[in-house]
């Protein structure tokens, strides 16, 4: 829901009216440009990434919402609200010692997802690296469907883990494959029962992962394995290349080929954190975000961002893209804050419509045996598509050495950051973690009566006991239910959670959040 503005919108519910504060912004693409989105998803939904997928205008959606014929009931009970919010939540406690000679820097993690699209286009990953030390956490924000985010969430942690493995460990993997023996496990996954898997493509994924480690073995420089920062960068690029190649070659069956084509033509952004004894490495491509929660010696909290969004608001990113294309394209590379006027994130996996030549796109779509209409694919190249590629999956990698004051790390898709800033997110998690409601001292002489009333309302809201045991759920609840006074508004929250599937995507985005809590004894034990 990037670029959305909030203003009042009146809903009529069984004779009652509720004032709400969400309406599509002026940055919605015009009708003509809606038809240039990546490709239609399985539902008619508004995409913050590339316009509405059904070719209709945002104005039509607003008119439909306000039409008297809609008799929508937003009166969910608290029990129903909690059931919706908690359906995908996950809480995992990690053993204090990792079993490989040292303390674990991660104490526990909490994660949750809330869909706006049907099906959900976000994905998440969490896994323990069994052959090396450290844990991997990822948030993946899909667009143009869920296919790319699904494939990347399943495969990227393996690529990262393999890149960090020493040559001797890779030789063990290869020997096991050669002799048809059980392959030593690479990852210990932490899966929620609602998380998906592409089981039909597992053989293809293993085959290409094996090619990757064979190439690492053939490298004379691999030795003890890559450092986490190099492994993250190399794995992002290699997986994106594999996604592209798999869509171009014949595969074992139609289902596998269709999956490969969908994954390549859809897209996803990714933010992955490797948390190990050496600290935190975060790789980001797109507009998901990683924010560190820091508690200072005086008890105050601050937010330390470990990523920068790759979108048009990032001046450095705009300059990078412009440098990669002729000066004659400077006015057409970014139009209306979108890549070629279509795509909002400026780095992403998949999205081969922004990477392949026109000829290659035409060849794959026309000469394959797939039913393109059934796959919701069609031939299209963005306007002013002159010097591809325009998009890449190369991440920015940040390193942070853990300190005693570093308490937690928030990874989240932009659905959360559309609704709150870094400081608000850290404050909410800190309050949830400590049970202490954070209030800055204010002099009454500085406020008029109206401002004083707003301050009292905000403080009353903070004094309300937390409803959630899960910190990620707590963030999602407040992202959707907090009003302009900072107060939790149950009617607003019920409304946001009650929107029918064909309207929900117009007023909020899929939200995925993972909160990683650091082991407070890690630095003590390490020292």
């Amino acid at each position: 829901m990037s670029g959305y503005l909030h203003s009042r919108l009146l809903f009529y519910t069984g004779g009652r009216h509720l004032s709400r504060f969400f309406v599509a912004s002026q940055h919605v693409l015009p009708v003509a440009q809606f038809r240039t989105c990546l490709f239609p998803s399985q539902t008619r939904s508004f995409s913050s990434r590339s316009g509405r997928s059904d070719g209709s205008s945002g104005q039509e959606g607003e008119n439909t919402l306000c039409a008297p014929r809609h008799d929508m009931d937003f009166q969910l009970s608290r029990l129903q609200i909690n059931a919706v919010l908690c359906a995908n939540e996950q809480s995992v406690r990690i053993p204090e010692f990792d079993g490989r000679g040292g303390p674990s820097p991660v104490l526990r993690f909490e994660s949750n997802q809330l869909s706006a699209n049907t099906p959900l286009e976000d994905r998440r990953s969490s896994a323990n690296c069994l052959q090396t030390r450290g844990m991997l956490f990822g948030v993946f924000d899909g667009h143009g469907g869920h296919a790319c985010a699904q494939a990347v969430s399943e495969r990227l942690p393996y690529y990262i883990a393999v890149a960090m493995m020493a040559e001797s460990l890779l030789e063990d993997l290869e020997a096991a494959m050669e002799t048809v023996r059980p392959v030593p496990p690479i990852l210990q996954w932490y899966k929620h029962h609602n998380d998906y898997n592409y089981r039909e493509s597992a053989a293809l994924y293993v085959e290409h992962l094996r090619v990757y480690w064979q190439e690492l073995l053939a490298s004379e420089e691999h030795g003890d394995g890559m450092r986490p920062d190099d492994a993250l960068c190399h794995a992002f690029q290699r997986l994106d290349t594999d996604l592209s190649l798999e869509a171009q070659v014949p595969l074992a069956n139609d289902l596998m080929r269709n999956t490969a084509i969908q994954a390549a033509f859809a897209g996803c952004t990714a933010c992955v954190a490797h948390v190990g004894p050496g600290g935190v490495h975060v790789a980001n491509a797109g507009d998901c975000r990683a924010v560190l929660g820091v508690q200072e010696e005086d008890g105050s909290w601050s937010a330390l961002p470990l990523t920068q969004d790759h979108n048009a608001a990032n001046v450095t990113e705009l300059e990078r893209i412009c440098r990669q294309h002729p000066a004659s394209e400077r006015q057409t590379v970014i139009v209306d804050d979108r890549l070629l006027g279509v795509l909002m994130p400026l780095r992403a996996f998949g999205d081969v419509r922004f990477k392949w030549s026109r000829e290659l796109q035409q060849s794959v779509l026309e000469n394959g045996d797939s039913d393109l209409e059934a796959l919701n694919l069609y031939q299209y190249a963005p306007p002013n598509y002159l010097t591809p590629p325009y998009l890449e999956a190369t991440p920015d990698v940040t390193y942070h050495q853990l300190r005693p004051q570093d308490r937690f790390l928030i990874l989240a898709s932009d659905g959360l950051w559309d609704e709150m800033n870094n400081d608000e997110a850290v404050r909410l998690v800190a309050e949830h973690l400590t049970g202490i409601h954070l209030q800055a001292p204010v002099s009454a002489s500085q406020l008029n009566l109206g401002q004083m009333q707003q301050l009292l309302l905000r403080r009353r809201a903070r004094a309300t006991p937390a409803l959630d045991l899960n910190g990620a759920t707590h963030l999602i609840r407040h992202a959707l239910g907090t009003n302009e006074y900072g107060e939790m508004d149950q009617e607003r929250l019920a409304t946001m959670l009650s929107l029918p599937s064909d309207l929900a995507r117009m007023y909020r985005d899929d939200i995925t959040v993972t909160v990683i809590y650091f082991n407070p004894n890690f630095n003590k034990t390490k020292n």
Side-chain angles (χ1 to χ4, degrees), residues 5-148:
L5 301 176
H6 291 74
S7 62
R8 294 186 180 272
L9 177 66
L10 197 62
F11 286 102
Y12 289 88
T13 58
R16 298 182 60 193
H17 61 273
L18 302 175
S19 295
R20 287 298 171 258
F21 308 91
F22 30 87
V23 66
S25 79
Q26 59 190 349
H27 299 297
V28 174
L29 294 175
V31 175
Q33 291 187 7
F34 275 121
R35 299 188 176 90
T36 65
C37 63
L38 297 181
F39 61 86
S41 63
Q42 295 181 4
T43 59
R44 295 182 137 203
S45 61
F46 179 91
S47 171
S48 65
R49 306 297 178 161
S50 48
R52 277 183 67 106
S53 57
D54 61 358
S56 60
S57 70
Q59 184 63 43
E60 293 169 6
E62 292 179 20
N63 290 340
T64 302
L65 181 61
C66 298
R69 67 176 179 273
H70 281 279
D71 185 18
M72 296 181 288
D73 182 10
F74 296 114
Q75 304 308 304
L76 292 181
S77 68
R78 285 182 179 267
L79 187 62
Q80 290 171 318
I81 289 173
N82 291 339
V84 173
L85 288 175
C86 297
N88 294 315
E89 72 175 8
Q90 180 185 29
S91 299
V92 177
R93 190 171 187 88
I94 307 300
E96 186 166 354
F97 290 88
D98 61 12
R100 293 190 296 279
S104 170
V106 177
L107 179 68
R108 71 182 190 277
F109 71 89
E110 296 169 344
S111 183
N112 202 353
Q113 295 183 292
L114 182 69
S115 66
N117 291 290
T118 306
L120 174 76
E121 294 186 347
D122 281 6
R123 293 294 186 269
R124 58 184 171 181
S125 293
S126 52
N128 196 19
C129 298
L130 295 177
Q131 303 298 327
T132 59
R133 297 186 64 186
M135 296 188 67
L136 289 167
F137 301 93
V139 169
F140 310 93
D141 190 347
H143 48 267
H146 65 274
C148 187

Side-chain angles (χ1 to χ4, degrees), residues 59 68 149 154 164 172 194 203 261 319 321 348 381 388 410 425 471 483 490:
Q59 184 63 43
E154 289 185 47
M164 292 190 294
D172 291 342
N194 286 341
I261 290 178
E319 292 174 350
I321 290 179
I410 303 171
N483 63 20
Q490 291 297 321

Side-chain angles (χ1 to χ4, degrees), residues 401-416:
Q401 184 173 358
L402 284 176
R403 308 162 298 175
Q405 62 265 41
D406 300 326
R407 300 295 302 278
F408 55 81
L409 178 67
I410 303 171
L411 299 181
S413 60
D414 73 331
L416 179 76

Side-chain angles (χ1 to χ4, degrees), residues 287-360:
D287 50 10
C288 295
R289 195 179 299 174
V291 178
L292 198 69
V294 181
Q295 187 176 30
E296 306 298 346
E297 290 185 0
D298 62 359
S300 63
W301 290 85
S302 61
L304 177 62
L306 299 185
T307 59
Q308 291 187 344
D309 298 346
H310 296 137
N311 55 31
N314 185 334
V315 176
T316 303
E317 191 69 0
L318 291 178
E319 292 174 350
R320 178 190 66 83
I321 290 179
C322 288
R323 285 195 304 268
Q324 294 176 347
H325 300 278
S328 58
E329 293 186 57
R330 193 169 185 87
Q331 302 301 317
T332 59
V333 171
I334 303 296
V335 178
D336 294 331
D337 292 335
R338 297 171 184 258
L339 185 64
L340 298 178
V342 178
L343 192 66
M344 291 194 73
L346 303 182
R347 301 191 199 189
F349 283 91
D351 284 319
V352 294
R353 295 190 192 278
F354 298 87
K355 298 173 180 176
W356 290 356
S357 67
R358 292 176 183 267
E359 294 74 21
L360 179 56

